[in-house]
Amino acid sequence: MVEFTPLCVPWERRLQTLVVLQWVGCWVSMALLCHVVFIGLLFTRFWIISILYAVWWYLDRAKPWQGSRHIDVLRRWAVWKHMKDYFPISLVKTAELDPSRNYLTGYHPHGIAAVRAFTNLCTDGTGFPSLFPGICSHLMMLNLWFWAPVFRDYIIIGGMVAADKESVSHILSREGVGNLLAIIVGGVQEALDARSGGYKLELLNRKGFIRLALMHGAALVPIFSFGENDIYEQVENSPGTWLRWFQDGLQKVTGGSMPLFYGRGVFQYSFGLMPYHWPVTTVVEKPIEVQKTPHPSQEEVDRLHQRYMKELENLFEAHKLKYNIPRDQHLEFY
């Protein structure tokens, strides 16, 4: 049976749904739509629009590797408050971040669409600038998204940068201090394992960000979003199934993953691509001090990696009972 939404839903709730619907639409289809429009205009009398944009694109092609383009007025739009209230999303600070330093943070878990990472770090919806004054946040994402015309500009102004060593070097070495660069460490592989009530993190062999932190002397900040994996359900794709075989193959070819997920609809609760109304709390842990080591040894990387995993476990154990996670539930690294 399909469960329809009641007619008496408050206007505020409908506005929140509209904002999240816009966001889902952007990530599901906007990149493809931008490609279609860009190419299609070349075969119309409006071809000059695509040509002019192509010139701009060429001149601005390096921006995703040079710190993005923050436009504060857009990050402060009221729509992001509505997006935060839809779930709702909360941001919890456990320690101060000194604006005279730079930070490299691991964001966990990836979830299906990393919507909380976007809301917390690319908008002012959850009040990041107020909680951490003087800190400018950036979020790394797959390079392939920056090859979509127009869409690339949309994500650049939100503070997103290419997932590349060049981006890390620019933000942590050339833009002064007071910068926080977030890496969703588990990446697209972890998205394929995102399950409601699951806490599996792709981290055991993810040490590149640890090496980068040592090279630039950036303090490491573990961040964990409780509830991230609960806003969507994912079609069964356990290792060994034909679906997982296809998804793994696609990832090897394109560098991206394609989780088959579902949630609720706009006018009914039974099925659709809208995320569930599920509270998500993002906890920012105290920084792990890192001594700058331009050429770190593998032993130094391994030692810091082990400490990082331990601090992430401590974060999870210290807060899990507050967010209705069973006492016997623990993080699982793979």
Side-chain angles (χ1 to χ4, degrees):
M1 294 291 292
V2 177
E3 181 184 0
F4 290 96
T5 56
L7 296 176
C8 58
V9 174
W11 167 248
E12 181 68 17
R13 175 59 81 181
R14 293 192 183 279
L15 187 57
Q16 294 166 10
T17 300
L18 180 63
V19 171
V20 175
L21 177 63
Q22 171 271 146
W23 188 88
V24 171
C26 282
W27 290 100
V28 170
S29 62
M30 186 175 174
L32 177 61
L33 181 61
C34 287
H35 272 111
V36 171
V37 172
F38 176 77
I39 296 172
L41 284 175
L42 291 172
F43 300 93
T44 71
R45 66 177 184 274
F46 301 109
W47 58 269
I48 189 62
I49 296 176
S50 290
I51 297 299
L52 290 175
Y53 181 81
V55 173
W56 158 253
W57 191 355
Y58 176 78
L59 295 175
D60 194 57
R61 65 190 183 281
K63 199 60 181 177
W65 289 266
Q66 296 178 351
S68 73
R69 182 182 293 107
H70 282 76
I71 299 182
D72 290 338
V73 67
L74 299 182
R75 290 168 63 99
R76 291 195 295 264
W77 273 359
V79 296
W80 307 127
K81 296 288 186 182
H82 296 307
M83 186 164 172
K84 179 262 294 185
D85 292 337
Y86 174 91
F87 296 93
I89 304 171
S90 302
L91 185 62
V92 176
K93 177 176 72 172
T94 63
E96 297 291 340
L97 295 184
D98 183 356
S100 67
R101 297 210 52 184
N102 283 327
Y103 302 90
L104 187 62
T105 175
Y107 199 103
H108 313 271
H110 184 288
I112 294 293
V115 61
R116 261 62 51 214
F118 172 82
T119 307
N120 285 314
L121 301 176
C122 299
T123 79
D124 293 356
T126 54
F128 184 93
S130 301
L131 286 174
F132 302 103
I135 301 296
C136 180
S137 57
H138 305 262
L139 178 64
M140 299 186 81
M141 67 182 304
L142 283 175
N143 295 2
L144 64 88
W145 291 108
F146 295 100
W147 292 104
V150 181
F151 183 73
R152 69 178 292 278
D153 300 281
Y154 173 75
I155 58 180
I156 285 173
I157 63 176
M160 296 188 183
V161 297
D164 199 291
K165 292 180 181 179
E166 186 180 342
S167 296
V168 177
S169 177
H170 185 92
I171 292 172
L172 299 183
S173 298
R174 303 176 203 167
E175 288 201 352
V177 294
N179 295 293
L180 182 144
L181 177 60
I183 302 175
I184 306 179
V185 181
V188 294
Q189 184 63 40
E190 190 175 279
L192 296 177
D193 291 314
R195 288 277 183 277
S196 179
Y199 300 95
K200 295 177 62 177
L201 301 181
E202 173 90 11
L203 185 57
L204 274 182
N205 298 310
R206 298 292 176 103
K207 301 179 181 180
F209 74 107
I210 299 292
R211 185 177 296 276
L212 290 169
L214 284 165
M215 291 171 61
H216 296 282
L220 280 167
V221 182
I223 297 180
F224 193 90
S225 276
F226 293 88
E228 179 80 40
N229 286 341
D230 299 309
I231 65 166
Y232 279 116
E233 299 289 350
Q234 186 166 186
V235 174
E236 173 58 33
N237 67 336
S238 300
T241 62
W242 70 268
L243 177 57
R244 188 55 171 265
W245 172 83
F246 173 78
Q247 290 172 325
D248 288 341
L250 183 66
Q251 180 187 340
K252 290 177 182 178
V253 173
T254 67
S257 64
M258 189 178 71
L260 293 184
F261 61 93
Y262 60 93
R264 50 156 290 182
V266 177
F267 301 109
Q268 42 76 30
Y269 299 128
S270 301
F271 57 89
L273 296 180
M274 291 289 290
Y276 295 118
H277 292 296
W278 187 270
V280 179
T281 303
T282 301
V283 179
V284 181
E285 189 54 277
K286 65 180 181 297
I288 301 171
E289 293 301 321
V290 176
Q291 182 68 36
K292 186 173 183 178
T293 310
H295 304 286
S297 66
Q298 189 60 50
E299 181 182 356
E300 291 171 315
V301 172
D302 291 342
R303 188 186 310 120
L304 184 56
H305 184 255
Q306 286 296 320
R307 183 182 176 191
Y308 179 87
M309 289 197 298
K310 184 61 178 177
E311 292 295 337
L312 188 60
E313 282 185 311
N314 292 342
L315 182 162
F316 183 82
E317 295 297 328
H319 296 274
K320 66 182 183 180
L321 295 181
K322 304 174 189 176
Y323 308 116
N324 301 316
I325 297 175
R327 188 180 297 275
D328 60 354
Q329 178 73 63
H330 306 288
L331 288 181
E332 180 181 348
F333 300 125
Y334 67 100

